[in-house]
Amino acid sequence: MKRNKQNPDFVHIGRKLLKWYDSNARALPWRNTKQPYNIWISEIILQQTQVKQGLNHYLNFVERFPDVQALAAAETDEVLLYWKGMGYYSRALNLHKAAKQVVEDFNGNFPEKYEDILKLKGIGKYTAAAISSICFDEKIPAVDGNFYRVVSRLFADDFDISQSSAFKYFSELSMMMMPENKPGDFNQAVMDLGSEICRPKKPDCGSCPLNENCIAFQSGTVHKFPVKLKRTKTTDLFLKYYFVHHKNQFLLKQRADDFIWKKLYEFPDEVPVEFEQFVENSTVVKHKLTHKNLTIQIETVNLTDEVDFISLAKRNHFNVVDFSESKKKSFPKPLENFIDKWIQRPTEIK
Ligand code: SF4
């Protein structure tokens, strides 16, 4: 298909998609509102979670933080706690910072222009386009991996999506399909089509409203698209922790660095050398993050009654927490699993 801004086929496909969306849009709680705050929260949650799992997280989050003011005024620990179960905690920290930006730099009013929305911490081009099109009718395609997949299949387009120019390329292509009215609905239609029908694996082409127009489907080449030539490299990472416990308490500290798990709680990664004599056992846990394979070694240290646990913690700048209170803190998933298992162990071997 010739890429020409006047090509009526592009507009025709866009309209067809809108028509399909009118009667097939998923009923989701954030679809009943045009409040940018709600659209923003839902978009950030959906970047990392399937709609089915994300729904409850969204409802809990907006119930506790119903607007940007409530989120800006909250303590960081509480925001992280409400993010529990979704991972990617840096996104929660960015949400919190952006809420403060809205209060401080925009007088508490969520910015309406795409360029202003982009200034908020953690909001990239995709999210800014989704918010500005859905809430403020700006005609900007919300282009992400979903978009690349649907559009490259539709036009059997072999443009390599791992290239940095892919965003500009697919944005231009999408602009040609985007009808003048309802840009927000158009973006949501592509989101729904990509997640429900034009799925990465096993697309349901038989139910697709665009199958007559889809060049990949018509030519039996759906499996060839999208084309991604460069694979992202995965790195290995080793972490060591000391799980120091005494009676019903254990030591923890808050992670500061920007590398991974910023502001989450973790066990100490080093302890005074005299602790070595109390090491009971060693556990190795494997965990995958995006582009990182973690190997985590946890040394369990059971301090005896002769050790003054509290003053020792103070001297070494560690925090002490009761096992019963640990659920109120946010830990990286592998450490949370470790604590849960520990709590569930029969008492005689604790
Ligand atoms: S026909 Fe199949 S490959 Fe083409 S857009 Fe529809 S679901 Fe995707």
Side-chain angles (χ1 to χ4, degrees):
M1 186 177 292
K2 197 160 169 258
R3 268 175 226 131
N4 171 335
K5 286 187 185 169
Q6 271 73 50
N7 190 327
D9 281 324
F10 286 104
V11 182
H12 172 68
I13 292 171
R15 290 211 188 103
K16 215 168 163 184
L17 195 55
L18 263 189
K19 202 169 162 207
W20 169 79
Y21 182 77
D22 279 346
S23 40
N24 292 279
R26 286 175 292 178
L28 301 167
W30 50 86
R31 293 255 166 102
N32 304 326
T33 175
K34 286 206 164 199
Q35 282 298 325
Y37 175 77
N38 299 64
I39 302 299
W40 172 43
I41 303 296
S42 70
E43 286 298 335
I44 301 294
I45 288 177
L46 293 184
Q47 279 173 20
Q48 66 214 45
T49 318
Q50 301 271 324
V51 168
K52 211 168 140 198
Q53 288 85 34
L55 254 175
N56 274 343
H57 288 295
Y58 167 84
L59 293 171
N60 289 339
F61 197 88
V62 297
E63 189 186 1
R64 168 60 191 90
F65 311 113
D67 51 36
V68 77
Q69 284 75 13
L71 182 56
E75 293 292 333
T76 306
D77 269 7
E78 198 186 5
V79 177
L80 291 175
L81 201 58
Y82 273 81
W83 203 254
K84 215 172 198 170
M86 286 191 278
Y88 298 95
Y89 282 89
S90 58
R91 292 184 183 164
L93 292 174
N94 285 340
L95 274 180
H96 195 210
K97 278 187 197 154
K100 290 181 179 182
Q101 263 179 292
V102 173
V103 169
E104 285 160 21
D105 302 344
F106 295 92
N107 287 326
N109 301 313
F110 206 96
E112 298 188 4
K113 294 264 169 276
Y114 172 78
E115 297 298 335
D116 286 334
I117 298 171
L118 260 185
K119 291 177 189 160
L120 300 178
K121 184 84 182 164
I123 295 195
K125 289 176 182 169
Y126 168 80
T127 310
I131 298 171
S132 62
S133 63
I134 295 169
C135 309
F136 306 111
D137 286 331
E138 262 195 89
K139 192 185 166 191
I140 303 179
V143 176
D144 64 349
N146 222 18
F147 227 106
Y148 289 168
R149 186 175 63 257
V150 174
V151 174
S152 65
R153 286 174 176 172
L154 261 178
F155 303 119
D157 194 318
D158 60 2
F159 195 98
D160 174 11
I161 65 164
S162 61
Q163 286 192 49
S164 53
S165 49
F167 181 82
K168 186 168 179 283
Y169 179 84
F170 283 99
S171 295
E172 285 176 4
L173 207 50
S174 305
M175 270 304 253
M176 295 178 211
M177 288 164 61
M178 211 169 189
E180 282 306 317
N181 61 341
K182 300 191 179 175
D185 280 5
F186 173 81
N187 281 334
Q188 293 180 99
V190 181
M191 291 174 204
D192 281 13
L193 188 78
S195 65
E196 302 289 295
I197 295 179
C198 194
R199 299 177 293 249
K201 287 181 189 151
K202 296 194 186 153
D204 183 7
C205 298
S207 317
C208 178
L210 303 179
N211 56 17
E212 284 175 14
N213 311 83
C214 178
I215 301 174
F217 175 64
Q218 295 294 340
S219 59
T221 55
V222 173
H223 61 285
K224 291 189 178 169
F225 302 99
V227 172
K228 187 177 185 184
L229 297 180
K230 204 166 64 194
R231 296 276 153 204
T232 317
K233 242 179 108 186
T234 301
T235 52
D236 294 327
L237 187 66
F238 178 78
L239 297 173
K240 184 169 182 176
Y241 289 115
Y242 292 87
F243 172 60
V244 184
H245 67 100
H246 178 63
K247 294 186 176 161
N248 57 345
Q249 296 180 309
F250 65 98
L251 296 184
L252 76 165
K253 67 186 186 63
Q254 197 165 23
R255 198 168 170 96
D257 65 44
D258 256 334
F259 182 50
I260 49 170
W261 299 335
K262 188 179 178 187
K263 295 279 181 196
L264 298 196
Y265 287 88
E266 61 182 1
F267 309 142
D269 52 3
E270 53 182 355
V271 289
V273 70
E274 62 264 31
F275 277 34
E276 296 291 345
Q277 62 178 303
F278 298 110
V279 171
E280 280 183 325
N281 60 45
S282 186
T283 307
V284 174
V285 180
K286 300 271 185 191
H287 188 73
K288 278 189 195 298
L289 294 175
T290 317
H291 313 316
K292 284 188 188 61
N293 292 327
L294 304 187
T295 302
I296 305 168
Q297 186 179 343
I298 306 173
E299 305 284 350
T300 301
V301 180
N302 185 5
L303 292 183
T304 58
D305 283 347
E306 303 119 54
V307 181
D308 182 346
F309 192 60
I310 303 294
S311 45
L312 180 142
K314 272 193 191 151
R315 248 192 345 266
N316 290 283
H317 308 289
F318 296 136
N319 297 317
V320 173
V321 69
D322 282 14
F323 282 102
S324 57
E325 293 288 299
S326 64
K327 280 280 166 212
K328 295 181 186 162
K329 306 263 181 215
S330 299
F331 290 87
K333 192 70 186 153
L335 299 193
E336 188 181 334
N337 291 345
F338 180 90
I339 297 165
D340 286 347
K341 271 193 194 158
W342 181 265
I343 292 171
Q344 286 157 18
R345 286 170 75 175
T347 38
E348 62 271 20
I349 56 170
K350 277 184 189 171

